[in-house]
Amino acid sequence: MAHETLLSPLDVGRLTLPNRVIMAPLTRARTPDSIPGDLQAEYYAQRADAGLIISEATNISPTARGYVYTPGIYTDAQEAGWRKVVKAVHDAGGRMALQLWHVGRVSHEIVQPEGRQPVAPSALRGEGAECFAEFPDGSAGRYPVSTPRALELDEIPALIDDYRQAAKRAKRAGFDMVEVHAANAYLLQQFLATGANRRSDRYGGSVVNRARLVLEVVDAVSEVMGADRVGIRLSPFIEIFGLSDDEPEAMMHYLAEQLSRRGIAYLHINEPDWTGEGPQLTDAFRRDLRERFHGVLIYCGHYTAERAEALITDGLGDAAAFGRPYIANPDLVERFRRQAPLNEPDPSTFYGGGAEGYTDYPTLD
């Protein structure tokens, strides 16, 4: 069998995955009413051969949004929609995690309830960042993000509870796991990064303080799901949406140790060269992370089957997440198994629209 290690089983928390090919979270912007439906059920079920499907980023509250046409998990209708999706994946033999998302300052008043300001750790605008919003004429396009307001200290418990309630809905909908999105310059990473967090209270300043909200969110979600059904996505060294950080390695060391003590199932690392360009994570960094975190390590970033196989056989990671290859190849695992050529994705259909470029890519059979 080709790629024997990549296609071997893996224990992740309470789950046993049939292979180590993970479907990465992929925003596709195809839920105009924020409620997943039949189209999403078909899309995810087509990809049920993944060891684990991680859902597209899913808003935990109305104020968590930065992009139109993205799903939520804060209403009964959204919960019911996701239940249909999860059932389709389970019926096809798959396993699925829901990624919990708050964009923080990567938003605009036009997509916020009642035109409110977005929230962030500090009132610092994400320079160069854009969100995706509906224009007054009903069309959609990119807006430069707004300047956010800083979250008040007494607002933070309610924010943490939004994550808790989202996890409760995810559990009721039947998800096997949840993933806390603390990557890609969104709210939780904004708290982690020195360039976005200028607070002087218990959530700002030192590494310990800047990590506090992430760990409190993980604790809240773990109370609901059990720590062995919780993962987290992190993106050390990434600089997008105007985010910068002077202490990424120190933060990763601290988080890895703290998350390992909590016994969560996995760390999902989005690499800084996830587009195929930019700096790469070093093997020394990966080994150091392995020493500090004793759960499963998943890496995501422009992987091929060959690169993923090498990562795992070298002991640097346990699984690899694939994004764009899963857009165009619903049967990605089978293609890896047969060493078959991959379909090329069409970038013009990545975001928005309907079935075209979403559920119509051909399979081998």
Side-chain angles (χ1 to χ4, degrees):
M1 180 175 65
H3 313 305
E4 185 172 354
T5 306
L6 178 63
L7 299 180
S8 66
L10 175 66
D11 291 333
V12 181
R14 209 179 302 179
L15 299 183
T16 298
L17 310 186
N19 59 69
R20 299 162 187 249
V21 179
I22 310 302
M23 180 176 169
L26 293 159
T27 294
R28 304 302 306 276
R30 280 172 164 83
T31 53
D33 55 4
S34 81
I35 301 169
D38 292 339
L39 189 62
Q40 284 69 41
E42 179 183 2
Y43 168 74
Y44 283 113
Q46 287 177 342
R47 290 153 177 81
D49 67 350
L52 177 69
I53 293 172
I54 304 172
S55 80
E56 62 207 278
T58 301
N59 302 299
I60 61 166
S61 69
T63 56
R65 298 175 73 227
Y67 306 84
V68 292
Y69 312 151
T70 54
I73 187 65
Y74 51 87
T75 70
D76 291 345
Q78 292 165 347
E79 181 183 324
W82 278 120
R83 186 178 300 112
K84 179 185 295 186
V85 172
V86 175
K87 183 180 186 304
V89 170
H90 286 168
D91 287 349
R95 296 136 301 278
M96 191 169 185
L98 181 70
Q99 190 187 63
L100 305 180
W101 190 30
H102 193 306
V103 302
R105 71 185 189 179
V106 187
S107 188
H108 190 282
E109 285 97 335
I110 201 167
V111 297
Q112 290 289 309
E114 301 170 354
R116 303 174 196 168
Q117 268 184 295
V119 297
S122 302
L124 299 171
R125 185 172 176 270
E127 296 300 328
E130 294 179 321
C131 63
F132 198 73
E134 281 190 317
F135 296 119
D137 65 2
S139 62
R142 297 187 180 278
Y143 269 79
V145 297
S146 303
T147 299
R149 67 173 182 83
L151 272 163
E152 299 291 341
L153 191 61
D154 61 6
E155 293 179 296
I156 290 179
L159 172 67
I160 295 168
D161 194 56
D162 285 340
Y163 280 95
R164 182 183 292 108
Q165 297 307 318
K168 288 181 179 180
R169 288 188 179 277
K171 186 175 183 178
R172 290 199 297 263
F175 281 98
D176 302 286
M177 307 186 81
V178 296
E179 178 177 283
V180 174
H181 193 349
N184 295 14
Y186 295 118
L187 179 70
L188 294 183
Q189 189 172 22
Q190 291 161 26
F191 270 86
L192 298 176
T194 58
N197 185 343
R198 305 287 174 80
R199 301 176 74 95
S200 58
D201 58 22
R202 62 196 300 265
Y203 291 94
S206 67
V207 165
V208 172
N209 281 356
R210 285 183 281 115
R212 191 183 306 278
L213 179 60
V214 168
L215 296 175
E216 289 178 345
V217 166
V218 168
D219 289 343
V221 169
S222 296
E223 289 170 9
V224 176
M225 300 293 297
D228 55 2
R229 290 188 183 271
V230 173
I232 187 169
R233 195 176 212 218
L234 299 164
S235 55
F237 310 108
I238 203 166
E239 293 187 356
I240 56 174
F241 299 156
L243 188 84
S244 63
D245 190 1
D246 295 331
E247 299 179 313
E249 195 156 355
M251 179 60 76
M252 280 302 300
H253 290 171
Y254 178 71
L255 282 175
E257 292 167 355
Q258 291 297 314
L259 293 166
S260 190
R261 290 175 187 171
R262 285 161 168 79
I264 71 167
Y266 69 80
L267 296 188
H268 177 190
I269 308 300
N270 192 30
E271 301 186 17
D273 65 335
W274 62 276
T275 61
E277 300 176 356
Q280 294 185 351
L281 295 183
T282 65
D283 288 353
F285 174 84
R286 297 177 199 272
R287 292 190 190 98
D288 189 62
L289 200 60
R290 172 73 81 189
E291 290 178 4
R292 295 169 188 273
F293 181 75
H294 302 139
V296 165
L297 291 176
I298 302 169
Y299 286 94
C300 182
H302 206 62
Y303 275 90
T304 62
E306 291 74 22
R307 274 193 69 210
E309 181 82 9
L311 174 84
I312 298 165
T313 55
D314 290 346
L316 300 174
D318 301 296
F322 296 82
R324 294 180 186 185
Y326 252 124
I327 289 177
N329 298 276
D331 56 347
L332 187 64
V333 170
E334 187 61 25
R335 288 175 185 267
F336 286 166
R337 183 175 286 111
R338 299 191 202 178
Q339 294 185 291
L342 302 186
N343 300 321
E344 287 295 322
D346 176 7
S348 71
T349 60
F350 280 178
Y351 306 110
E356 182 183 1
Y358 191 60
T359 57
D360 62 351
Y361 281 103
T363 61
L364 289 172
D365 300 324

